Amino acid sequence: MRKKKVIILSLAIITVLIVIVLSVFLIQFNQEEKESQYIVNAQSIVYQMSTSIIKASEVSSYYLGFWEHFNESKNGIIIQDNKGKSTNYKNINDLISSRVKYKQPVIEELVDEKNSIYKKLKELNNPPKKFEDAYNLLVEMFQLYSDAIDNAKSPSGSYVSFTQSVENILSNFTKKHEEYNLKY
């Protein structure tokens, strides 16, 4: 009888140990799965910001082309719309405003992309401990990206200051992107 009790007790202890080991293994596996999914989602955001910031920079460069041409011109710039109507722009603000209106469909697309990325970034705001730095880099990149979208939506300042703003934002974003890629 005593042997049976010892065997039953031994089996119970072994069962409890197996359950504990399996639980620890499952918790570890679940944590690794969460970390893996986190970095996949973060990399997706980086990719989306990268492609969208290029579009925003192209829009800003479009404005700069007109701005430069206007600065070289003595009589303003004549632009013909798609209906054949010509307008002579003698004021740089009017010219740039007309180009912003012309680019409005692209700007709306950029704003939609920014809002979508922002929502995804908010979902990552509680990173696993080992990805806290990755999240901070994402936030820094998002701020630069957001500034690029703002430039595309409403260019302001002088030709020189706007050019510097566009270049600085893109340069700093590229540096943060490279840092992110090296670390993650």
Side-chain angles (χ1 to χ4, degrees):
M1 187 73 160
R2 187 162 154 70
K3 260 186 166 183
K4 269 187 172 181
K5 286 183 180 180
V6 170
I7 291 174
I8 292 173
L9 184 60
S10 297
L11 287 174
I13 291 172
I14 291 172
T15 303
V16 168
L17 287 175
I18 290 173
V19 168
I20 290 171
V21 169
L22 284 175
S23 296
V24 169
F25 175 75
L26 288 174
I27 290 169
Q28 180 66 28
F29 178 76
N30 189 28
Q31 181 63 26
E32 289 174 5
E33 185 66 29
K34 283 181 182 178
E35 289 174 353
S36 177
Q37 189 59 49
Y38 185 91
I39 203 66
V40 166
N41 292 342
Q43 288 170 335
S44 173
I45 290 172
V46 169
Y47 175 77
Q48 288 177 304
M49 283 192 293
S50 298
T51 57
S52 190
I53 200 170
I54 291 169
K55 287 186 230 174
S57 296
E58 288 171 349
V59 171
S60 295
S61 293
Y62 171 80
Y63 303 146
L64 286 169
F66 283 95
W67 214 323
E68 182 177 25
H69 188 65
F70 183 88
N71 289 342
E72 294 170 353
S73 158
K74 294 189 188 329
N75 299 321
I77 295 180
I78 299 172
I79 297 179
Q80 188 174 30
D81 65 16
N82 54 2
K83 296 179 182 174
K85 180 185 174 202
S86 295
T87 304
N88 186 4
Y89 292 96
K90 295 190 182 254
N91 178 302
I92 188 62
N93 294 326
D94 294 340
L95 172 63
I96 297 301
S97 291
S98 76
R99 299 303 82 205
V100 170
K101 286 179 187 170
Y102 178 75
K103 286 292 188 179
Q104 200 57 44
V106 176
I107 293 168
E108 289 172 7
E109 182 181 313
L110 288 168
V111 170
D112 288 346
E113 288 173 357
K114 177 184 165 189
N115 291 337
S116 172
I117 291 169
Y118 180 73
K119 286 178 186 174
K120 291 176 183 177
L121 185 60
K122 281 182 78 172
E123 292 172 5
L124 298 180
N125 72 352
N126 191 14
K129 186 94 174 137
K130 75 186 229 181
F131 292 123
E132 287 174 353
D133 288 340
Y135 178 75
N136 292 334
L137 268 173
L138 283 174
V139 170
E140 291 174 29
M141 290 171 68
F142 183 81
Q143 183 56 55
L144 292 164
Y145 162 71
S146 183
D147 292 344
I149 302 300
D150 291 344
N151 274 347
K153 280 178 23 183
S154 53
S156 61
S158 68
Y159 173 78
V160 172
S161 68
F162 187 70
T163 301
Q164 288 172 341
S165 175
V166 170
E167 290 173 354
N168 287 339
I169 290 168
L170 199 52
S171 173
N172 290 332
F173 182 88
T174 301
K175 287 175 189 172
K176 294 292 179 187
H177 188 273
E178 289 171 357
E179 181 181 351
Y180 182 89
N181 283 342
L182 286 173
K183 290 181 177 180
Y184 307 101

